[in-house]
Amino acid sequence: MDGTDLADRVRDDHETAFSRLGSSKALYALTAGEMEADAVRAAAADDQYAAADLLDDWAMVEHGDAASLLAYLAEETRDHAESVEPDGYERGDDPALYDRLAFEDDTPGRLGGLLGRYLVVAEYAGQMVGFFVGDADPKAAAEFRELRTAVEDERDRVVETLDDVCESDDDWDAAGDAAAAVVEAAYDDYVETLESMGVKPKNVC
């Protein structure tokens, strides 16, 4: 097992969830039905700020390669948030997946959960690119392509660090369980949000 294998396994095991989290209905859920540019930007900023706060907390209690990675990612995600937030932005609630992610209290679990987060957020970023392309806003589309690329690069750094910190099957199991739990939390939130708006998510691909 290595980090790439784990990422592939999480994707394969949650194929339906990822197909839906990578759909336009996921963006509809993230913006609470407000499919407008400022709402999309605010949703992206909320996610990145939530990640930055958690990463800052973890970086202070971790050590070695994990601590260095988490501190770097905290700075990067905060920069992402500042780069995409709309004029007059007021931070909203943290996405539900961060409540689940915050439960992780050991290094393999934290990094595994973080891998799950990056897999989910890459899907969201792809939809945001598509939104701005459809909105005939090439400048914003380019900004969000940069965000998507950054998210993918950061995910790869998490994968590499998992290879360094997971020294046993138990470590890989902990990382895999955490990644799966975060993906499931994001998907459950997607379903519950759409249902609260009268949309039937299971009929959406």
Side-chain angles (χ1 to χ4, degrees):
M1 173 69 73
D2 62 19
T4 300
D5 292 337
L6 178 59
D8 290 342
R9 190 181 76 186
V10 172
R11 280 194 164 281
D12 290 344
D13 289 349
H14 299 83
E15 183 177 0
T16 297
F18 280 113
S19 71
R20 291 175 176 162
L21 291 171
S23 73
S24 60
K25 280 294 188 292
L27 194 56
Y28 187 80
L30 285 174
T31 61
E34 296 183 34
M35 296 286 280
E36 298 179 352
D38 281 357
V40 173
R41 286 183 172 278
D46 287 346
D47 175 83
Q48 296 292 328
Y49 278 124
D53 287 348
L54 183 58
L55 289 162
D56 274 333
D57 289 344
W58 283 354
M60 290 189 291
V61 297
E62 278 289 351
H63 57 276
D65 291 342
S68 298
L69 173 68
L70 294 169
Y72 166 80
L73 294 177
E75 183 176 354
E76 290 295 298
T77 51
R78 203 169 297 282
D79 286 346
H80 299 330
E82 292 172 356
S83 72
V84 300
E85 65 180 49
D87 292 340
Y89 170 71
E90 294 184 7
R91 183 168 170 178
D93 294 336
D94 291 349
L97 72 86
Y98 293 98
D99 290 337
R100 178 57 187 82
L101 192 52
F103 281 122
E104 300 302 331
D105 60 4
D106 60 25
T107 305
R110 286 173 177 152
L111 294 182
L114 199 54
L115 172 61
R117 178 262 176 187
Y118 275 107
L119 292 172
V120 169
V121 172
E123 299 291 343
Y124 294 160
Q127 280 301 310
M128 290 171 181
V129 172
F131 171 84
F132 286 108
V133 170
D135 204 37
D137 188 341
K139 180 180 178 182
E143 289 175 20
F144 278 83
R145 285 192 188 96
E146 290 177 4
L147 175 63
R148 179 178 62 188
T149 298
V151 166
E152 291 169 348
D153 289 346
E154 290 159 18
R155 176 202 61 208
D156 291 345
R157 293 190 65 152
V158 172
V159 167
E160 292 169 2
T161 306
L162 275 166
D163 290 339
D164 293 333
V165 304
C166 290
E167 300 177 344
S168 67
D169 289 345
D170 286 346
D171 287 345
W172 285 112
D173 287 345
D177 289 347
V182 168
V183 173
E184 289 160 9
Y187 182 65
D188 288 347
D189 185 48
Y190 158 85
V191 170
E192 291 168 9
T193 300
L194 290 183
E195 287 179 341
S196 73
M197 294 189 288
V199 178
K200 296 180 179 178
K202 292 186 180 179
N203 293 337
V204 178
C205 296

